[in-house]
Amino acid sequence: MAAEPAAAGADRLVGLDLARLTPYLESAVGLAGPLRASLVTGGRSNLTYRLTDGRSRWVLRRPPVGHVLPTAHDMAREYRVISALHGTAVPVPAPVVLCRDHAVLGADFSVMEQVDGPVLRDAADTAGLAPESARRRALSLVETLAALHTTDPSVLEGLGRPEGFTARQVARWAKQWSLSATRELPEVAELVGRLERAVPPAQRVSVVHGDYRLDNVIFEPDGDGIAAVIDWELSTLGDPLTDLGLLLVYWDPRTEDVTGTRHAVSANPGFPDREVLVRAYADASGLDLSPLDFYVAFGYLKLAVIAEGIHSRYLAGQTVGEGFERAGAAVPGLVEAGLAVLGSG
């Protein structure tokens, strides 16, 4: 959300029709002047735009154009989550409006207040940080995740079905693979099978983010704390260790081919290794992390499926921006990494 606006003219932005959006926002929130928009670069999934009427500044999020995976781009879910978490110990953007009228933009979309601060998306964003600042930011990332996982889940009662959550997640992402696969990759079935046979019992029901990582938070403009956690469309109630497992996967440099950026963590020696993150999370959450390998392996599966979905949209000419051409090549390595985490058992 804090990335630089794209240079394209607002009247030509893919997925955003200002002629239709302007009267909708005029009615919903009131406008102080002409509405201007710019694409926020860097997103691999949903399309994100900055909006301003000269007085207020907002962010609009909508699903990508073309083929989308079921449950993967749920703007109504994201809006409900930030509405529930706003004002809690978990920092989120202030919600403004949710639109479910497809006559406006052809899909659900949400609008929230813009949060100022840097997003550490690329090596260029992290290389110049003082190593101690990089360390503190990583620990802030973990502490905020633990704060989310200790938030009373009743704030989102009914959002999901916590009973059997992790087993359903494995099945769901296996189905997502079948819906977006562009090739045969037998190792995916092997990884799914091994995960299905090893699902651990959940220790706690928590609000789960679903895609928690370094570039899904906005840091404070003048500090190392987190100003807002963003991109909540995969959020639900479930097993908190699924978030931690995926965060640790994103610490792997191989993920840069999925994000389309140079690996931000590897660019600064101040970022601690995964073992430090694990200890910090264990201390803050009080959870037993002995079954963590399962959750890391599941994180590799999940990211492999996300990458295949990006690759599928890229092949169909339905991506907006640059860097998407690398996602497909990352998939086999991610699947192999998941199998490696589980070992030879």
Side-chain angles (χ1 to χ4, degrees):
M1 285 187 190
E4 287 304 311
D11 59 340
R12 298 188 301 275
L13 288 175
V14 174
L16 192 72
D17 185 338
L18 282 185
R20 293 181 180 273
L21 180 62
T22 295
Y24 173 81
L25 287 182
E26 177 63 50
S27 174
V29 300
L31 296 175
L35 190 64
R36 299 192 302 276
S38 56
L39 176 69
V40 177
T41 60
R44 302 289 93 186
S45 180
N46 293 305
L47 298 176
T48 305
Y49 311 86
R50 281 178 172 165
L51 305 175
T52 183
D53 63 355
R55 179 182 64 190
S56 301
R57 295 177 301 141
W58 305 289
V59 166
L60 182 149
R61 285 178 39 85
R62 58 149 296 159
V65 296
H67 169 71
V68 297
L69 295 174
T71 76
H73 307 278
D74 194 335
M75 298 295 93
R77 175 180 293 264
E78 175 171 78
Y79 191 81
R80 178 182 174 185
V81 172
I82 65 171
S83 297
L85 292 177
H86 189 245
T88 71
V90 181
V92 295
V96 176
V97 67
L98 169 70
C99 178
R100 308 203 72 172
D101 180 358
H102 290 195
V104 181
L105 294 183
D108 290 357
F109 66 88
S110 65
V111 179
M112 61 199 76
E113 290 186 2
Q114 182 175 312
V115 176
D116 292 327
V119 175
L120 304 182
R121 181 171 286 117
D122 185 90
D125 301 319
T126 58
L129 292 175
E132 180 59 23
S133 175
R135 187 190 72 84
R136 288 195 300 265
R137 291 176 191 232
L139 294 178
S140 292
L141 189 68
V142 172
E143 290 160 4
T144 300
L145 183 61
L148 172 66
H149 292 162
T150 52
T151 297
D152 183 354
S154 68
V155 300
L156 285 165
E157 187 173 358
L159 182 68
R161 293 180 293 136
E163 185 70 25
F165 167 79
T166 307
R168 285 199 314 277
Q169 281 286 295
V170 174
R172 174 173 292 176
W173 285 94
K175 181 180 180 181
Q176 303 281 55
W177 170 264
S178 68
L179 292 172
S180 61
T182 64
R183 58 197 135 169
E184 293 292 329
L185 200 62
E187 291 81 4
V188 173
E190 181 184 354
L191 178 55
V192 169
R194 294 187 62 183
L195 289 170
E196 288 174 335
R197 295 189 295 271
V199 176
Q203 300 172 55
R204 176 188 298 165
V205 174
S206 296
V207 180
V208 172
H209 181 277
D211 193 21
Y212 193 81
R213 51 194 167 103
L214 185 64
D215 62 332
N216 269 344
V217 303
I218 300 171
F219 285 94
E220 297 168 347
D222 301 310
D224 298 321
I226 291 175
V229 182
I230 56 176
D231 292 9
W232 291 90
E233 71 271 14
L234 295 176
S235 183
T236 191
L237 298 180
D239 188 334
L241 293 186
T242 57
D243 273 344
L244 180 62
L246 186 60
L247 174 62
L248 297 177
V249 167
Y250 277 115
W251 235 244
D252 184 335
R254 284 173 288 193
T255 61
E256 69 179 6
D257 288 330
V258 183
T259 62
T261 61
R262 293 173 298 150
H263 196 238
V265 172
S266 301
N268 191 304
F271 283 107
D273 60 27
R274 294 197 280 192
E275 287 71 21
V276 173
L277 302 186
V278 169
R279 289 196 298 270
Y281 179 86
D283 291 343
S285 70
L287 293 175
D288 173 17
L289 301 188
S290 58
L292 187 57
D293 282 352
F294 168 89
Y295 296 96
V296 174
F298 173 58
Y300 276 113
L301 171 67
K302 188 173 176 179
L303 192 58
V305 175
I306 290 171
E308 188 72 359
I310 294 170
H311 183 56
S312 175
R313 294 200 304 276
Y314 169 74
L315 292 178
Q318 295 169 342
T319 52
V320 178
E322 299 178 351
F324 295 95
E325 69 280 356
R326 296 162 50 188
V331 174
L334 294 170
V335 175
E336 291 169 7
L339 289 169
V341 169
L342 294 177
S344 57

